[in-house]
Amino acid sequence: MYKKIFLGIYLLSILSSFLIISSLGIAAPTVTLNGSGTIVIGDTRVLIASGGVPPYTWSIKTVSGAPGILSAYSGATVSFLATVDVGTCYVVVTDNSAQASTTNNLTVVSSPIPIKSYWIWGSSISNRSAATTVITTSTTHQIRDVFLLVKGTSGTFDTTRLVWMTQIAKGLNTNVRIHPWVICFSDSSAATLGIYTTVSSTWISPMDPRYRQYLMDSCIIPLVRDHPDINGVHLDCFRYPGNAYNYDTGLSLVKFCLEIVTTVRRYNPAIPVSIAVMPETSNNEYSYGQSYYKLSTAGARILALMAYTGNYEQTAAWVGRVIKYARNTAVRTCSIYAGLQFTYDTGGYMPAAEIAAETRYAIDSGTQGVAAFRWPIQSYQWTAWDTVGNPTPLTISPTGTITLQPIGASTVFQASGGWQPYTRWTTSNWSIGSVAVFWGESSARFYVCNTGTCTIIVRDSAPGPASATSVVIQCVPVELIEFEAIIEPEKNYIRK
């Protein structure tokens, strides 16, 4: 009984203190929140709350669109991830005393299409001067992501070039993002040690907890702990070599992906984990243990499909099909990149026309980026890549409403821009006029067939949804034109 009385007195004293503080006008400290501005789809913005009474509660107040998600990792820190939806929102943080604070507008904008990136072997960079050339060349050609090999199939882990590249990219104040590239379960040295479970002569089982711990402790953690200027972690050979059906259904890879994502976020919540994946769509999980959907739900922010038409003996249209499948399968917070085979395994380089076609198919199928395998990229390949995917608008000249007369008359229209060649010239009403293509596919002659109004339309040869533009043609009778001629007023004549 005395304990109950004492507890009641104690609670009453706390309530009295609160009422006294309230009567004096002393409120809980206001929570403050940093962060605002524009963010590109697929990027993150780390937001930090301070003041008030922790713990904090985070939420998004949408102004337009549905532009982001929040992932809280520790304490007062949250990572805002820009999804594929553009728009504006506020991030709201509320403390334990119900005090709230919001960001200024966080506006999610589309990234340039295509986001260009490439894979590069560490052996391609012999010294700091070579690293400077790589960075400056990348900047010139508007490269955003560079996947730099730090652990190859031999098992050697070397971050020397990574230090050069991150330091130079930061020193030159570029937008080039450096992602250390880690070959995971293809490790010829580890496979010969006899201490790991293997699934082939050079591949370690993704289910082996000892090798996974080695990757985590000796590669992943050192990268995010000791290299604060990296912009992501890129995983390759994160799979079985084609015989996953003999071992598991991909759950081991999904679980390990989640472990890596969680670890990376603990050190730096802003950087993405990306994975190079096979392009065999629905067969991926059966053969390689890779599920686009499961890996994306486990936190992979970029899936780069190795859509190598040379290896698979496929056409450019196939690139579009596999990209569309991945885009429709992975969750929307995961970006899909199309990996194109600029350098063939058998030697030689992809022609410019093939680069243009594959890039266009990938863009029309929903890719957020195009990655070239691999550096060095030839000068003609840069030329093709710099122009494809961002054609000037398709236009017809002359423009506006064109008046033609008489019936049987004709005039020439010229198309420019868009995705050449131009494949179709039509009119909206063939009873009014018709078109005949001549002087090549960029020009057409329009013939007046009848009086009235119609529209002439030209389409380009975009592999996906074709672009179209039009101009209005007004065909008028000859009598109307003659009626509008100037007539002198009647003169008065004096009879003689």
Side-chain angles (χ1 to χ4, degrees):
M1 177 176 179
Y2 292 108
K3 290 182 178 179
K4 292 182 179 179
I5 294 174
F6 178 79
L7 180 60
I9 295 173
Y10 176 74
L11 293 175
L12 183 60
S13 65
I14 293 177
L15 179 59
S16 300
S17 299
F18 177 78
L19 292 174
I20 293 172
I21 291 174
S22 299
S23 65
L24 294 175
I26 302 175
T30 301
V31 63
T32 58
L33 173 64
N34 73 328
S36 64
T38 300
I39 181 171
V40 175
I41 288 174
D43 283 348
T44 56
R45 178 71 50 79
V46 176
L47 306 174
I48 302 174
S50 61
V53 182
Y56 303 104
T57 302
W58 299 84
S59 62
I60 294 179
K61 179 181 178 183
T62 300
V63 179
S64 63
I69 61 173
L70 296 173
S71 298
Y73 305 122
S74 62
T77 301
V78 71
S79 183
F80 175 88
L81 169 62
T83 67
V84 293
D85 299 311
V86 299
T88 302
C89 70
Y90 299 102
V91 174
V92 183
V93 59
T94 306
D95 72 355
N96 202 39
S97 68
Q99 295 287 334
S101 181
T102 64
T103 63
N104 294 322
N105 286 351
L106 268 169
T107 302
V108 179
V109 297
S110 299
S111 56
I113 295 295
I115 295 173
K116 292 191 291 188
S117 57
Y118 58 80
W119 286 278
I120 180 171
W121 291 346
S123 58
S124 299
I125 306 173
S126 56
N127 50 43
R128 287 186 66 91
S129 177
T132 300
T133 299
V134 171
I135 294 297
T136 55
T137 302
S138 300
T139 302
T140 299
H141 295 285
Q142 298 180 325
I143 294 293
R144 192 174 79 159
D145 297 314
V146 174
F147 303 114
L148 171 64
L149 189 65
V150 296
K151 179 185 179 294
T153 56
S154 67
T156 302
F157 181 67
D158 185 354
T159 59
T160 303
R161 280 86 173 175
L162 179 64
V163 173
W164 296 341
M165 291 282 281
T166 53
Q167 288 179 348
I168 293 168
K170 184 177 181 180
L172 294 177
N173 193 29
T174 72
N175 291 323
V176 178
R177 307 191 307 186
I178 310 300
H179 305 243
W181 166 20
V182 179
I183 302 294
C184 295
F185 295 103
S186 176
D187 190 325
S188 58
S189 296
T192 61
L193 295 177
I195 61 175
Y196 301 118
T197 302
T198 59
V199 292
S200 78
S201 60
T202 59
W203 283 73
I204 312 298
S205 170
M207 297 181 67
D208 191 320
R210 295 165 299 176
Y211 188 76
R212 285 162 51 160
Q213 196 63 49
Y214 157 73
L215 284 176
M216 186 70 77
D217 293 343
S218 301
C219 300
I220 304 300
I221 290 178
L223 285 173
V224 294
R225 180 192 63 205
D226 303 333
H227 301 275
D229 293 326
I230 64 173
N231 303 107
V233 174
H234 183 61
L235 309 176
D236 194 4
C237 294
F238 193 77
R239 57 183 176 87
Y240 289 86
N243 55 4
Y245 48 83
N246 287 330
Y247 300 96
D248 69 17
T249 58
L251 294 179
S252 60
L253 290 170
V254 174
K255 292 177 180 177
F256 192 37
C257 177
L258 183 58
E259 291 174 16
I260 293 174
V261 169
T262 302
T263 300
V264 169
R265 287 173 174 174
R266 189 179 303 123
Y267 286 91
N268 188 341
I271 65 176
V273 171
S274 60
I275 305 176
V277 294
M278 300 297 282
E280 297 175 27
T281 60
S282 59
N283 189 54
N284 256 28
E285 186 168 7
Y286 178 75
S287 296
Y288 306 106
Q290 293 179 327
S291 163
Y292 305 146
Y293 174 75
K294 292 176 183 177
L295 291 174
S296 64
T297 56
R301 283 257 311 284
I302 299 171
L303 295 180
L305 271 70
M306 296 177 287
Y308 299 159
T309 52
N311 287 1
Y312 283 89
E313 298 182 348
Q314 293 285 346
T315 64
W318 172 77
V319 174
R321 291 195 296 270
V322 298
I323 291 300
K324 185 176 182 179
Y325 179 92
R327 178 64 281 163
N328 291 339
T329 304
V331 298
R332 303 297 288 177
T333 54
C334 179
S335 295
I336 301 299
Y337 283 18
L340 306 184
Q341 196 173 20
F342 277 42
T343 303
Y344 297 128
D345 291 348
T346 55
Y349 302 95
M350 182 183 290
E354 186 68 14
I355 291 173
E358 291 187 17
T359 301
R360 188 66 188 188
Y361 269 109
I363 292 171
D364 289 337
S365 300
T367 192
Q368 280 87 44
V370 178
F373 183 84
R374 58 179 168 83
W375 180 281
I377 296 172
Q378 306 303 300
S379 58
Y380 76 86
Q381 293 178 318
W382 280 125
T383 300
W385 212 16
D386 287 342
T387 55
V388 72
N390 297 284
T392 56
L394 175 59
T395 60
I396 299 179
S397 61
T399 60
T401 301
I402 311 300
T403 301
L404 293 178
Q405 67 85 28
I407 292 174
S410 66
T411 190
V412 173
F413 291 90
Q414 180 77 32
S416 61
W419 182 258
Q420 300 182 37
Y422 307 108
T423 59
R424 187 181 179 194
W425 291 80
T426 59
T427 66
S428 62
N429 191 338
W430 286 99
S431 66
I432 303 300
S434 62
V435 289
V437 177
F438 78 119
W439 292 348
E441 294 177 313
S442 61
S443 301
R445 181 174 289 277
F446 176 87
Y447 292 91
V448 178
C449 301
N450 205 339
T451 59
T453 301
C454 68
T455 302
I456 182 172
I457 304 166
V458 62
R459 294 182 180 273
D460 66 6
S461 57
S467 176
T469 191
S470 61
V471 64
V472 176
I473 308 297
Q474 182 178 8
C475 305
V476 297
V478 176
E479 292 78 9
L480 180 59
I481 299 295
E482 293 175 346
F483 180 77
E484 293 175 350
I486 298 175
I487 302 175
E488 293 184 1
E490 183 180 356
K491 295 181 180 179
N492 294 321
Y493 293 92
I494 301 174
R495 293 179 180 273
K496 294 184 178 179

